[in-house]
Amino acid sequence: MKNWPQEARDDFVLHALDCSAIVAITDTRGRILSVNSRFEEISGYTREELIGNDHRMLRSQQHDKKFFRQMYRTIASGQVWHGEICNRRRDGALYWVDTTIVPHISESGKVTSYVAIRFDITARKQAENHLKSSRQKLQNAVNTDFLTKISNRLHFSHTLRKTLRTSTESHICLALLDLDTFKTINDTSGHDSGDRLLRKVAEKLRAFQKDGCFIARIGGDEFAILMTGNTPALFETVLLNILEQMRFSFRNRTMTHACTVSIGYVSVPLPDAREKALLKCADLALYAAKTGGRNRIRKYHPVMEEKLDFAARLRRSVQTNLRNQSIQVFYQPIFSLSIPGRVSFEALLHWDHPHHTVLSPQHFPEVFEDPRLTLTLNTFVTHQVMRDMRQFREQNIHFERIAINITSCDFEGADFFKKISSLADEMAVPLNTLALEITENMFSRPHHKQIEQELDVLHQKGIQISLDDFGTGFASLTHLKTITFDYVKINRAFVEGLERHGTDAAIIKGVIDIVHSLGRKVVAEGIQSAAQVRALLEMECDFVQGDFLCEAVPVMDIPAALEKIRYKALL
């Protein structure tokens, strides 16, 4: 180049630049003085339209004032500026250019004009934006629950950790929300109905999502609500509003369900918050809300953890005592009021506790919140009853049936009927000497149809069915119509008020009349006085049972206990 003549050198450089770059010259006020053909081509304007106009005519509104202010400050000081600019064509389309602006400085040191050299990078920017959009869509897909279209568990975990690291608020609240009726709706109306219910709940929850309130679906029918703020009292206000909004009717093609939720939450100063502790405390509070009756809110309190630890210790103790035979089966007589001498028995668990007197199951209800342990205990009772049958015969104890309490746990997994009949054959126990006591709540469980079918099979083989705790369960009168049964046991809560409240007497009389009209029998349990026996006799109740008449005793003590029966004249 040095050996070239000056004029030829300048012409060549200009030619090469014109072929490869978009070139424009402007004065210090931004007025266009010169453009090359590539500038015309990319902008869509002719040279005549451009020259003399302000360069601002190409602005796309993609950059803010600060961007241009910084650019002009740089070139006005005589420095070269380099960056990427988005401009707008004459037809409105946007294009991107990689731009270098070189100030021309006179001999006096003043900036007199600017030469802008640009290269078209529109295709590259479009590819970058497409990639960025794809990444964002992928990120959204990863963070979004596919069914409800709100945040999922993964997004919730990330948000919780980020909040704990970066939030400037003073307090944090984590709430867990669980649908009370989801399993019933899902199993009685189908999974499509369950999915529609989840979407409806998510839609209602979405209305509460805003800055400081994040909501996600973190499991089947469980949702998380994460809030931050400087006024902790407002957390429960929001949750009460959510609880109210979640009370609604959900209708499908065949029936209408009343929907409610349970909410458990924990609120602590943000500096004290730890992820695992928050989740554990909120879960304990949710458990308290559900076991406390559902359709309510519970705030975490340390006593909840103490109760949980107590229940865990109690279950371990029961398992240990089951192995060392401190847990036994006792038998309480069920007497006929119409046929003297006619006796059946109910098999009841009793725990010979080292620090207490003998305890019945009502003193350790926490144990039966564990389905596996419940099934273990029920199986133990069933085996023990069939073994004791031989001793009944050896002691010449005449009885009609022995009733065993069962739960929905017994019907999960293997065929319950086969287990019972196989064990009865092994122990030489006639099936018609057995009765099963069931509660109505079993029929609100997901597999209630299977339970009903198996009970029908058991009944056909001679085993009698008794509806226990009648009147305290779900849809009692409906069950009288749909479930195979032989006896109804009136709950002790009604019997207790028999002498004091006319209402209880009216209810008992009504139940007796209804059950008799269906050709079935009635047992009143929890008898505490002779007056109750007389009242039930007048109402034509069929059978009575209770500690007043005879307490539950081990099989060895049954003959002596029967000799001491109180109120023998009526029995």
Side-chain angles (χ1 to χ4, degrees):
M1 291 283 290
K2 288 181 180 178
N3 297 326
W4 288 6
Q6 181 69 36
E7 294 172 356
R9 187 192 312 165
D10 291 346
D11 287 346
F12 178 75
V13 170
L14 290 173
H15 173 69
L17 198 61
D18 198 44
C19 290
S20 60
I22 303 158
V23 183
I25 302 172
T26 64
D27 62 17
T28 54
R29 290 179 296 177
R31 192 170 55 229
I32 300 172
L33 303 177
S34 175
V35 297
N36 69 350
S37 56
R38 286 192 55 109
F39 195 107
E40 291 181 278
E41 180 185 331
I42 197 167
S43 70
Y45 291 99
T46 64
R47 184 177 278 102
E48 289 74 18
E49 291 173 313
L50 291 166
I51 293 176
N53 272 318
D54 195 296
H55 202 282
R56 292 178 180 84
M57 67 187 290
L58 301 172
R59 285 193 179 176
S60 63
Q61 309 303 321
Q62 299 296 304
H63 308 285
D64 56 18
K65 290 181 180 179
K66 183 180 178 181
F67 174 86
F68 290 107
R69 198 161 42 239
Q70 186 177 358
M71 181 185 74
Y72 286 131
R73 189 179 294 123
T74 301
I75 60 178
S77 67
Q79 299 178 53
V80 175
W81 181 89
H82 180 262
E84 295 177 352
I85 300 178
C86 181
N87 285 333
R88 188 178 299 277
R89 288 172 49 87
R90 182 176 186 176
D91 62 8
L94 301 179
Y95 64 95
W96 283 84
V97 283
D98 183 294
T99 303
T100 301
I101 302 176
V102 182
H104 181 269
I105 304 174
S106 67
E107 293 180 359
S108 63
K110 291 184 177 180
V111 176
T112 59
S113 61
Y114 304 106
V115 177
I117 302 170
R118 301 175 175 87
F119 294 93
D120 184 7
I121 58 170
T122 304
R124 192 195 84 196
K125 294 296 288 188
Q126 287 174 343
E128 287 177 358
N129 289 336
H130 178 71
L131 181 60
K132 189 184 294 183
S133 175
S134 298
R135 284 176 178 167
Q136 187 61 49
K137 287 178 181 177
L138 180 60
Q139 189 67 29
N140 289 340
V142 168
N143 287 333
T144 302
D145 176 56
F146 74 98
L147 177 64
T148 61
K149 307 307 178 189
I150 65 173
S151 296
N152 59 14
R153 189 182 191 92
L154 179 66
H155 195 196
F156 162 74
S157 297
H158 289 165
T159 302
L160 176 57
R161 289 173 195 148
K162 183 179 178 182
T163 301
L164 293 175
R165 286 196 315 268
T166 64
S167 178
T168 58
E169 303 288 356
S170 65
H171 282 72
I172 185 169
C173 172
L174 174 60
L176 297 180
L177 178 152
D178 188 271
L179 276 65
D180 295 330
T181 50
F182 178 70
K183 287 184 179 179
T184 300
I185 292 173
N186 213 31
D187 293 305
T188 58
S189 302
H191 292 287
D192 288 344
S193 291
D195 290 347
R196 283 199 303 112
L197 175 61
L198 290 171
R199 285 193 290 267
K200 185 166 184 175
V201 168
E203 182 183 348
K204 286 177 173 289
L205 286 174
R206 195 179 288 113
F208 290 91
Q209 183 152 304
K210 57 183 178 181
D211 289 342
C213 184
F214 173 84
I215 293 172
R217 180 190 176 204
I218 61 172
D221 62 334
E222 189 169 84
F223 296 80
I225 304 158
L226 181 65
M227 293 182 281
T228 54
N230 296 320
T231 312
L234 293 179
F235 295 149
E236 183 153 339
T237 301
V238 173
L239 294 176
L240 285 169
N241 288 337
I242 290 175
L243 185 72
E244 185 60 35
Q245 286 298 311
M246 292 300 133
R247 292 173 178 144
F248 61 90
S249 295
F250 178 76
R251 181 169 181 78
N252 60 20
R253 286 175 294 181
T254 58
M255 61 197 309
T256 299
H257 301 273
C259 296
T260 60
V261 301
S262 298
I263 300 174
Y265 78 99
V266 58
S267 173
V268 295
L270 223 157
D272 300 336
R274 299 292 181 270
E275 180 184 357
K276 288 184 179 179
L278 285 173
L279 287 165
K280 180 181 178 182
C281 294
D283 197 49
L284 285 170
L286 176 61
Y287 176 77
K290 293 190 81 68
T291 56
R294 305 186 175 191
N295 186 25
R296 64 196 62 218
I297 293 175
R298 284 290 179 267
K299 183 179 181 180
Y300 168 77
H301 191 279
V303 73
M304 294 176 181
E305 198 156 358
E306 293 170 13
K307 286 182 178 179
L308 194 69
D309 290 341
F310 170 76
R313 290 196 305 272
L314 190 63
R315 284 193 282 269
R316 286 195 296 269
S317 182
V318 165
Q319 288 171 326
T320 301
N321 282 270
L322 194 57
R323 288 193 294 271
N324 64 25
Q325 299 182 346
S326 296
I327 293 178
Q328 306 171 32
V329 177
F330 280 32
Y331 298 89
Q332 185 170 46
I334 303 171
F335 299 104
S336 171
L337 288 177
S338 56
I339 306 175
R342 184 178 178 183
V343 180
S344 291
F345 293 90
E346 180 181 359
L348 298 167
L349 267 180
H350 277 67
W351 182 6
D352 189 3
H353 197 282
H355 305 301
H356 303 279
T357 56
V358 176
L359 300 178
S360 60
Q362 66 192 39
H363 292 98
F364 47 98
E366 297 87 353
V367 168
F368 298 93
E369 292 169 4
D370 182 338
R372 287 187 178 181
L373 186 51
T374 300
L375 180 58
T376 299
L377 290 169
N378 290 352
T379 303
F380 164 73
V381 171
T382 303
H383 281 70
Q384 190 61 50
V385 165
M386 293 197 184
R387 280 194 291 267
D388 287 345
M389 288 278 201
R390 182 181 303 167
Q391 201 156 341
F392 272 81
R393 290 193 293 269
E394 290 173 356
Q395 295 184 96
N396 202 27
I397 300 170
H398 298 287
F399 65 95
E400 288 205 346
R401 296 177 188 271
I402 296 180
I404 301 170
N405 289 278
I406 60 170
T407 65
S408 58
C409 304
D410 292 289
F411 292 91
E412 294 178 5
D415 188 346
F416 181 62
F417 165 69
K418 287 181 180 177
K419 287 191 293 186
I420 286 282
S421 58
S422 174
L423 186 61
D425 286 344
E426 181 184 333
M427 301 283 190
V429 171
L431 288 178
N432 62 7
T433 60
L434 293 174
L436 300 179
E437 294 200 358
I438 60 176
T439 60
E440 298 164 280
N441 290 332
M442 288 173 59
F443 302 101
S444 63
R445 301 290 180 178
H447 52 290
H448 66 96
K449 290 293 184 186
Q450 173 203 339
I451 294 174
E452 290 176 22
Q453 291 168 1
E454 291 217 34
L455 287 175
D456 283 341
V457 173
L458 290 164
H459 191 262
Q460 290 168 14
K461 297 297 181 180
I463 295 177
Q464 291 196 341
I465 309 298
S466 177
L467 286 180
D468 197 9
D469 290 333
F470 186 77
T472 62
F474 171 75
S476 304
L477 293 178
T478 301
H479 292 145
L480 291 182
K481 182 175 69 172
T482 59
I483 298 170
T484 299
F485 72 96
D486 300 280
Y487 299 90
V488 162
K489 290 191 82 170
I490 297 175
N491 185 265
R492 65 181 66 241
F494 296 105
V495 176
E496 284 175 4
L498 186 59
E499 299 167 81
R500 301 190 304 273
H501 308 295
T503 304
D504 287 329
I507 291 172
I508 292 173
K509 177 59 176 168
V511 170
I512 291 172
D513 290 343
I514 292 172
V515 173
H516 283 174
S517 71
L518 297 172
R520 308 294 194 271
K521 304 293 184 181
V522 178
V523 181
E525 61 179 346
I527 302 299
Q528 296 174 331
S529 69
Q532 290 175 350
V533 177
R534 283 194 295 270
L536 291 164
L537 189 59
E538 289 176 8
M539 293 179 187
E540 298 182 344
C541 182
D542 302 288
F543 300 93
V544 288
Q545 173 186 357
D547 288 350
F548 171 77
L549 299 168
C550 185
E551 295 179 348
V553 294
V555 64
M556 291 293 295
D557 297 341
I558 290 176
L562 291 176
E563 288 297 319
K564 299 176 184 177
I565 295 170
R566 299 175 188 174
Y567 220 64
K568 217 168 186 178
L570 287 176
L571 302 174

